[in-house]
Amino acid sequence: MAGALNLAHAPIFAPLISRRTTPNRLFSVRASSDGSSSSSSSSVTFAPPPNFKPPEPKRFGVRPDKAWDIVGAALALFFRFGTGVFASGYSVSFVPKDEFPPGQYALEVNGFKVKETSTLGPRPEKPIEIYEFEREIVAVLDLDVLYYPCPRNGPNFRPKAIQLGGKKQFPYMVDPNTGVSMYESDDIIKYLVGKYGDGKVPLTLSLGLLTTITAGLALVGRSGKGSTYSPAKLPPKPLEIWAYEGSPFCKYVREALVELELPHIQRSCARGSAKRQILYDKVGHFQVPYLQDPNTGVEMFESAEIVEYLRATYAVQ
């Protein structure tokens, strides 16, 4: 069982999480002559690629040259029994289209609106912080999480996680709402469902060795994509991605975020999430992944184009 740390007594935590007073600010970075990034009091200015224009969203559209990427990412749905597709307590009802309130998000099937709801626990005031990788339970509990990607050879957040927790072990979770931090996937899951859910660990996340095996099989289709660092410039503010673990389109974008070691806030929105309505109100319809980059002002749909944008903007060329 992993122990809990009182972060109020962990001085190294303060400079890393200075956004508690400035929510969207991580730290300043300096680009060196070889393109790598390091902490600094000055900031790098980021801009979209030349002549960049966000693409028009196409629901369920797969760009032909990315079809096998999406197919590979979708294998996880089979091996993990759909875990991460639905929020906790998901339920559905069918309402005649003419009786459904206008301006509300819902799927439409044969003249009916599909009303989706969920039952969730108390909501954390501040995003949970995770140094890779706890994503299925995050989708189930509909939590917003600030992810610090820790790919192999990543120069920024692997060392920070080791400094904070004292171990070269992942995932590592920090809850700024309670001051609790911990290792071990099972302990993190139990903590999150106890604090922000109904206390019951989903069956597909409580099968011990079988959970580990199926999680490993879910990665087969992507052959280790998203696990190794690709040199990139570190942005001063975390990106925001509206996504959920069960979507292969979201998984494809997540791989790029991890490889480039880009800190990002995930706005979880599995089926049944109330945040589907929030995004619907924001942009006029619901579709994920949806990227918001406060460093450049870019907001965009379409997974293939999002990945190309991330590499063009942040990868060291």
Side-chain angles (χ1 to χ4, degrees), residues 67-256:
W68 285 112
D69 289 304
I70 300 303
V71 169
L75 285 178
L77 290 172
F78 172 76
F79 288 117
R80 295 296 301 129
F81 314 109
T83 306
V85 174
F86 304 99
S88 179
Y90 176 82
S91 63
V92 62
S93 59
F94 293 86
V95 179
K97 180 179 178 181
D98 56 1
E99 297 178 14
F100 198 82
Q104 287 193 14
Y105 162 75
L107 294 173
E108 185 175 334
V109 179
N110 294 329
F112 287 84
K113 290 285 190 176
V114 182
K115 184 178 181 181
E116 301 171 287
T117 59
S118 58
T119 54
L120 302 166
R123 302 291 82 191
E125 179 183 352
K126 302 173 185 176
I128 308 300
E129 298 161 10
I130 295 182
Y131 293 77
E132 287 296 332
F133 326 84
E134 275 308 326
R135 296 192 180 254
E136 288 180 341
I137 193 61
V138 165
V140 171
L141 296 178
D142 199 37
L143 296 173
D144 288 348
V145 169
L146 174 53
Y147 280 107
Y148 294 112
C150 297
R152 285 195 299 271
N153 303 320
N156 296 299
F157 302 121
R158 271 185 174 257
K160 284 292 185 182
I162 294 169
Q163 286 179 318
L164 287 172
K167 298 179 183 179
K168 190 176 181 180
Q169 181 179 329
F170 304 94
Y172 178 67
M173 183 212 71
V174 174
D175 186 349
N177 304 281
T178 62
V180 168
S181 65
M182 62 177 61
Y183 292 101
E184 299 293 345
S185 294
D186 289 346
D187 291 342
I188 292 172
I189 290 170
K190 290 175 183 177
Y191 169 80
L192 291 175
V193 298
K195 188 67 179 178
Y196 303 112
D198 60 6
K200 299 177 182 178
V201 177
L203 177 62
T204 53
L205 293 173
S206 61
L207 299 177
L209 180 60
L210 182 59
T211 297
T212 302
I213 292 173
T214 56
L217 290 173
L219 300 175
V220 170
R222 298 300 294 135
S223 302
K225 296 287 186 180
S227 61
T228 302
Y229 176 67
S230 180
K233 296 167 286 189
L234 185 66
K237 298 178 182 179
L239 285 67
E240 296 189 26
I241 185 78
W242 297 70
Y244 65 103
E245 183 63 11
S247 165
F249 299 96
C250 298
K251 189 181 296 289
Y252 178 57
V253 171
R254 172 171 65 81
E255 290 172 354

Side-chain angles (χ1 to χ4, degrees), residues 41-55:
S41 58
S42 61
S43 297
V44 172
T45 299
F46 290 91
N51 303 316
F52 174 80
K53 182 180 179 181

